[in-house]
Amino acid sequence: MSTLQDPHGAQRTPFLASQDSQTRWICKTFMVQYPKSVLPPAVCTFCQDDRELMPAADHEWITPAQVNNMGYRSAWESPEVGVWRMWLEPQIGIDQPSVLICTPEGNVLWDPPGWFDRELEE
């Protein structure tokens, strides 16, 4: 594995749970994070979309700390210069990889990950 380097030196905001009474809730099906709140959202907007095939199990909300404690880790590869694919191992949710394209003119992150570990963050 390689280390991701931000060519512009941008600061990254960690997506880890806060120490106060609020947390960022994650839809376990789509691995989409929602804004901080004391309780999980009433619904996941992605799960409510009729175009999505939902699993037979009930909907679950998890926190970034729970994902971290469950042993998931970020994995990534660079199939070519300036292109990075990122995903979680083992598979969770719909398992769609994220793609980061880095150019001198700027970067594009397609389908940002709902969670990543400290190694990918750094």
Side-chain angles (χ1 to χ4, degrees), residues 7-8 101-108:
H8 304 289
I101 300 171
C102 301
T103 72
E105 291 79 31
N107 302 332
V108 176

Side-chain angles (χ1 to χ4, degrees), residues 16-57:
L16 303 175
S18 66
Q19 298 299 316
D20 60 17
S21 63
Q22 296 187 348
T23 192
R24 295 182 189 276
W25 295 95
I26 301 172
C27 167
K28 191 172 180 182
T29 302
F30 286 93
M31 289 305 290
V32 174
Q33 265 190 55
Y34 283 79
K36 285 184 179 182
S37 65
V38 175
L39 299 174
V43 296
C44 168
T45 55
F46 288 84
C47 291
Q48 294 296 310
D49 190 327
D50 292 336
R51 298 171 292 178
E52 299 296 344
L53 178 62
M54 295 303 300

Side-chain angles (χ1 to χ4, degrees), residues 37-97:
S37 65
V38 175
L39 299 174
V43 296
C44 168
T45 55
F46 288 84
C47 291
Q48 294 296 310
D49 190 327
D50 292 336
R51 298 171 292 178
E52 299 296 344
L53 178 62
M54 295 303 300
D58 289 337
H59 183 268
E60 290 183 61
W61 292 101
I62 56 178
T63 66
Q66 287 172 311
V67 175
N68 192 41
N69 292 335
M70 294 163 79
Y72 289 97
R73 67 178 203 74
S74 299
W76 61 90
E77 67 179 359
S78 180
E80 60 186 87
V81 175
V83 177
W84 296 89
R85 287 184 60 244
M86 299 166 277
W87 63 93
L88 288 177
E89 291 180 347
Q91 177 183 339
I92 187 172
I94 62 172
D95 195 36
Q96 183 164 336

